Amino acid sequence: MEKELRLMKGNEAIAEAAIRAGVDAYYGYPITPQSEVMEYLTEQKPEDRSGMIVLQAESEVASINMIYGAAGAGKRAMTSSSSPGISLMQEGLSYIAGAELPCVLLNVVRGGPGLGTIQPSQADYFQSTKGGGHGDYHLITLAPSSVQEMYDFLKISFELAEKYRNPAMILSDGAIGQMMEKVELDDPVSRRTEEEIINDFPWASTGKKNRERNIITSLELDPAKQEQINLNIQKKYREIEEKEVRFEKVQCDDADYLLVAYGTSARLCQETVKLARDKGIKLGLLRPITLYPFPSKEIATMVNDRVKGVVAVEMSSGQMIEDVKLAVNGKVPAEHYGRFGGMIPSPEKILEFLENQIMGG
Amino acid sequence: MEETKQDIKKPENLVYKKTDLMTDKTLSYCPGCGHGVIHRMAMEVIEEMGLEEETIGIAPVGCSVLAYEFMNVDMQQAAHGRAPALATGIKRVFPEKTVFTYQGDGDLAAIGTAETIHACNRGENITIIFVNNGIYGMTGGQMAPTTLEGMKSSTTPYGRDTKKMGHPLKMTELVATLPGTCYVTRQAVHKAAAVRKTKKAIKKAIEYQKAEKGTSFIEVVSNCSSGWKMTPVQANKWMEENMFPFYPLGDIKKPEK
Ligand SMILES: Cc1ncc(C[n+]2csc(CCOP(=O)(O)OP(=O)(O)O)c2C)c(N)n1
Ligand code: SF4
C-alpha cells in the first residue's frame, strides 16, 4: 500500500510521529523555535485520536519531572524544547538516566549562551552527547537532517530508549524544525495497554499486583553499590557504542578529503562536496546520525585507508571536532570550521577553508 | 496467675498489628521523629481501603528520601521539590491509580514551590502529604521557609530575622485559596488522638482523590528533635507551644457537597 504523504514543518512532523507511534504523554513548555510541537499536538486532539495526553507544564523543570513520573510508570513520555529550556531539564535528565528510564526529548537548538538568539545553532552538542547534568551518563543522541528524519527518529529514539532504559535526545536545530518538506507517514500503532506495560517493563511502578513492590530511584548511599550501579550503566553504554552507531556517507569511496557534519550543516556540506568535485577535489561527507554513540571507528578506518585531511563543520565554535580529533588520533590534519550565534556557514566558505587550511597547509 | 511474655505474645492477645504495608526495615528516623508515624498512617489507610495494588507513592528529597524503603507499595523517588510534577506525570497517564506525594517543608515550600502551586492549581487528582517540621532536617537543621520568626537554626544561629529572611510561609493556607484543591487540612501526630485525626484526614483525602474532586493536601505539623536540638519530649512540648499557635490545626477547606 502507498504511504500517506504530507507537506509539513519539522516540528509538526515529530508531533504527528508521536501520535502515530503510540506515545502516551507529551509534557512541555513553550519556547521558540519549537512551540509548533505542542501547538500542533493540542490542535490535533490526540486524546481523541490515540488517547495521548498533552499537558502544558509550568516550566521545563516541571515537564521533565512529569516525564520522569510517567516513564517510571512504564509509559511512553516525551517533551520538546529549545536550548534554554533543555538547560533547565538537566537535573531531571540526570535522575532519569540514574534511575534508568526510557524517554525521548527533542532539542530544537538555538544560538546561545544565555538567552542568545532564536536562530538555528548546533552549540548544544556537548550538553547532549556528554551528559549535560551531573554524574556519569550519556543521552542516546540522534541528529535529523530533514523533516522526514524528524518524523522517523521519534520512533527509533523510543525503541532505543526502551531497549537500553536510557533517555534519548533528538538534537535538531531551528532550521530543520521550521522548514517544510514532504513527509511519508506510517500507519498509527496503538499505545501499550497496562498488561503490555507490565509485561514489557516489569520494573515499572504500575502498582504492586502479584509481585513485590517496584522502586524507581537513582539513590544508593552505599558507595560500593553505587559504583556497581555506575559500572552497570557504563556496560550499557559500551554496548550502545558497539551496536547502535548510525551514519550516512556521501561520495566517500574515493575521497581524499572528508567533511564531518550533522543536521543542517550536513545539508550545506553536500553542496560543498559538489563544488569540490566540480573542481576535481575528491571530497566526501560523513554525516553522523547518532552523535552519541559517535561514529569514531568509521572515521578512524577512513583516515587509515586514504583520507588525507578532515574538516568538522558545525554551527558552533567547535564541539564535535573534539570527537573527530579523538577518532583521527593525529594521523592527518583535522580542523573545525563553523559559524555560530545563529549564523549558517556557506558551502563556498567551507570549501575555501578546506583548500586553505587542510589542502594548502 | 501472672502473665508471662509468651502469653502476651499469643495471637489472641494481640490488640494491634503493624500493617503489612510497612516493611520490616528499621526506620532511619531519629527517636521521637514524626515521620515514622505519618508513614504508618498513610500505609494503614492504603491497606484499609484495599488500594495497595494500585498505589504509587512519591518520595521526596529530605529525611524521608528513603520512604520507599519503609512503605511497601510501588514508589518513585523524586528530585528535590519535584514530587508533585512526578505525581502529575503519573496520574495523567494512569488516572485510575492512587497517587500520593510525601514531602518535607523545604522540599514542598521552598525548592518545589512552583510544582506544588501548579499541581494544586490544575487540581491534579493526587494527595499531597506535607510534613512541616519548621526546619531542614536532613541537611543538619538549616532554616526552612516554615521556620518561625526568631527560631534558631544552623543558618539563623541568632534566630530568624524576618526583616532579612522573610516570614514563615503558610503554604497550606496558600494552596487552600486555589480552586484546584478540594480538601486542605492541617494535622499533627504528637498524641494518640492527633494521630487518629491525621489518619482520618489521610483517608478522606484519598477518598476525595478516588471521587476525582481535585488535589487533597494534608499538612502534618511535626517535630525535629535533632534539628531543634531538643529531646523528643521537649520537642513535642515546644511544638505545641510555638508551632501550633502559628500553624493552627484543623480543616481549612472541604469540598462543597
Ligand atoms: C537540588 C538539591 N538541592 C539541595 C539538596 C540538599 N538537601 C537535601 S534535603 C534538603 C532539605 C530537606 O528539608 P525538608 O524538605 O524540610 O525535609 P526534612 O529533612 O526536614 O524532613 C536539602 C536542602 C538536594 N538534595 N538537592
Ligand atoms: S533530623 Fe529531624 S526530621 Fe530528620 S529524622 Fe531526625 S528528627 Fe526526623
Side-chain angles (χ1 to χ4, degrees):
Chain A
M1 216 182 79
E2 265 190 32
K3 286 205 174 178
E4 188 183 339
L5 286 179
R6 221 183 272 176
L7 186 68
M8 300 182 98
K9 268 191 180 188
N11 289 335
E12 294 168 349
I14 198 164
E16 181 62 32
I19 301 172
R20 289 177 185 241
V23 172
D24 294 294
Y26 172 96
Y27 301 126
Y29 188 82
I31 183 169
T32 309
Q34 63 77 51
S35 296
E36 296 85 0
V37 179
M38 194 171 15
E39 286 168 358
Y40 181 91
L41 282 173
T42 47
E43 190 264 330
Q44 284 290 313
K45 298 190 178 161
E47 220 157 331
D48 297 343
R49 277 184 62 185
S50 71
M52 177 184 178
I53 300 293
V54 181
L55 179 64
Q56 180 170 337
E58 62 271 28
S59 69
E60 291 87 351
V61 175
S63 59
I64 192 66
N65 283 287
M66 290 175 184
I67 303 266
Y68 180 16
K75 295 279 187 171
R76 276 197 161 177
M78 68 171 290
T79 188
S80 63
S81 187
S82 179
S83 310
I86 298 286
S87 290
L88 265 186
M89 293 184 192
Q90 295 303 325
E91 179 203 41
L93 275 171
S94 172
Y95 275 70
I96 292 171
E100 296 192 70
L101 300 177
C103 67
V104 172
L105 285 87
L106 165 69
N107 183 358
V108 183
V109 182
R110 57 191 247 181
L115 201 49
T117 163
I118 57 172
Q119 299 305 320
S121 161
Q122 296 181 320
D124 297 354
Y125 178 93
F126 283 151
Q127 183 195 55
S128 191
T129 60
K130 310 294 177 189
H134 60 285
D136 272 340
Y137 74 93
H138 291 279
L139 306 177
I140 298 168
T141 305
L142 282 87
S145 77
S146 65
V147 176
Q148 183 69 51
E149 284 189 341
M150 286 284 270
Y151 178 89
D152 293 339
F153 287 5
L154 190 270
K155 198 163 157 199
I156 296 171
S157 297
F158 267 110
E159 284 162 2
L160 290 171
E162 285 165 3
K163 181 171 174 194
Y164 294 101
R165 288 185 60 180
N166 198 73
M169 172 69 84
I170 299 171
L171 193 70
S172 185
D173 63 59
I176 291 164
Q178 293 297 329
M179 73 188 179
M180 290 187 94
E181 282 181 333
K182 195 173 62 182
V183 190
E184 221 180 79
L185 304 174
D186 311 300
D187 292 336
V189 297
S190 45
R191 297 178 305 112
R192 279 190 183 85
T193 62
E194 187 170 344
E195 287 66 40
E196 287 168 336
I197 290 173
I198 291 168
N199 192 50
D200 293 352
F201 308 129
W203 44 263
S205 68
T206 50
K208 60 156 195 167
K209 205 184 243 169
N210 309 320
R211 58 159 169 78
E212 294 295 295
R213 75 191 194 285
N214 279 342
I215 297 167
I216 303 293
T217 182
S218 61
L219 173 70
E220 178 49 68
L221 293 169
D222 178 347
K225 287 186 185 159
Q226 184 61 57
E227 183 179 48
Q228 195 50 54
I229 290 171
N230 269 279
L231 286 169
N232 293 344
I233 292 178
Q234 290 305 318
K235 206 173 135 203
K236 188 168 84 175
Y237 291 143
R238 297 300 88 75
E239 191 185 336
I240 291 172
E241 286 159 12
E242 197 56 46
K243 294 185 182 162
E244 306 299 347
V245 176
R246 290 163 194 245
F247 53 84
E248 185 196 7
K249 282 157 105 179
V250 179
Q251 307 222 36
C252 280
D253 289 349
D254 64 345
D256 293 327
Y257 296 97
L258 183 68
L259 301 178
V260 182
Y262 66 95
T264 294
S265 296
R267 293 175 74 108
L268 302 165
C269 284
Q270 295 221 16
E271 189 56 34
T272 308
V273 169
K274 268 190 217 140
L275 294 173
R277 296 244 162 204
D278 287 348
K279 282 177 105 173
I281 302 168
K282 288 182 180 166
L283 181 63
L285 164 67
L286 183 129
R287 173 170 80 92
I289 291 174
T290 52
L291 299 179
Y292 180 80
F294 192 71
S296 311
K297 273 190 197 156
E298 189 58 31
I299 294 174
T301 307
M302 290 177 73
V303 163
N304 277 332
D305 284 355
R306 64 174 292 149
V307 166
K308 292 188 284 220
V310 183
V311 180
V313 181
E314 303 171 71
M315 280 140 55
S316 78
S317 55
Q319 300 192 11
M320 182 185 66
I321 181 65
E322 294 195 2
D323 286 330
V324 171
K325 281 194 169 175
L326 280 172
V328 169
N329 203 14
K331 292 246 159 61
V332 300
E335 296 296 339
H336 157 79
Y337 177 77
R339 297 292 303 272
F340 34 97
M343 295 301 286
I344 291 181
S346 81
E348 292 78 12
K349 292 277 182 205
I350 298 169
L351 182 57
E352 212 177 292
F353 181 87
L354 173 81
E355 288 179 308
N356 293 338
Q357 303 296 317
I358 301 284
M359 297 171 66
Chain B
M1 209 182 66
E2 197 145 307
E3 276 192 327
T4 63
K5 257 190 179 169
Q6 265 67 30
D7 289 332
I8 294 168
K9 281 185 177 169
K10 279 183 185 161
E12 61 267 32
N13 289 335
L14 279 181
V15 291
Y16 178 79
K17 184 181 163 292
K18 176 174 77 70
T19 161
D20 289 338
L21 294 190
M22 285 295 285
T23 64
D24 291 332
K25 195 168 170 110
T26 308
L27 292 172
S28 51
Y29 303 113
C30 306
C33 175
H35 274 309
V37 186
I38 305 166
H39 283 22
R40 185 160 54 79
M41 289 310 108
M43 289 301 101
E44 284 185 4
V45 168
I46 299 294
E47 183 178 50
E48 285 166 22
M49 293 178 74
L51 299 174
E52 63 261 35
E53 293 192 346
E54 58 165 70
T55 296
I56 302 159
I58 316 291
V61 172
C63 279
S64 48
V65 64
L66 289 173
Y68 61 78
E69 297 268 351
F70 313 123
M71 296 181 174
N72 193 7
V73 292
D74 274 10
M75 297 285 291
Q76 294 199 25
Q77 199 286 310
H80 198 14
R82 316 300 173 216
L86 268 78
T88 300
I90 298 168
K91 186 73 181 187
R92 289 284 177 135
V93 289
F94 268 137
E96 66 286 0
K97 308 271 178 198
T98 303
V99 180
F100 73 90
T101 72
Y102 185 103
Q103 304 174 256
D105 43 9
D107 193 83
L108 179 139
I111 196 165
T113 314
E115 286 77 9
T116 305
I117 287 179
H118 286 280
C120 289
N121 193 46
R122 288 189 302 263
E124 299 293 342
N125 266 308
I126 57 171
T127 299
I128 295 176
I129 301 174
F130 164 39
V131 181
N132 175 9
N133 58 13
I135 207 153
Y136 284 11
M138 189 191 207
T139 37
Q142 295 84 5
M143 183 188 71
T146 46
T147 297
L148 296 176
E149 180 167 7
M151 185 175 163
K152 286 183 180 163
S153 74
S154 64
T155 50
T156 54
Y158 307 107
R160 180 176 188 164
D161 177 353
T162 52
K163 281 211 188 83
K164 288 182 189 154
M165 306 308 301
H167 291 264
L169 186 57
K170 290 188 177 178
M171 201 61 173
T172 304
E173 277 79 355
L174 203 156
V175 300
T177 64
L178 304 172
T181 52
C182 62
Y183 175 54
V184 180
T185 185
R186 185 182 284 120
Q187 302 293 335
V189 288
H190 62 305
K191 290 191 169 142
V195 172
R196 277 198 292 276
K197 277 193 185 164
T198 294
K199 182 172 168 183
K200 253 194 183 157
I202 297 175
K203 187 166 183 195
K204 264 196 238 170
I206 303 281
E207 282 167 357
Y208 291 135
Q209 179 180 157
K210 296 276 93 179
E212 300 185 4
K213 297 268 183 201
T215 313
S216 44
F217 189 100
I218 304 147
E219 172 178 340
V220 184
V221 181
S222 189
N223 55 26
C224 177
S225 53
S226 298
W228 297 354
K229 311 233 177 309
M230 296 176 194
T231 66
V233 174
Q234 283 171 338
N236 273 350
K237 189 158 180 286
W238 191 89
M239 177 171 69
E240 283 186 70
E241 288 170 359
N242 297 278
M243 296 280 278
F244 291 175
F246 190 79
Y247 298 115
L249 306 188
D251 289 345
I252 296 167
K253 183 179 186 179
K254 281 196 264 191
E256 287 155 26
K257 286 277 152 13

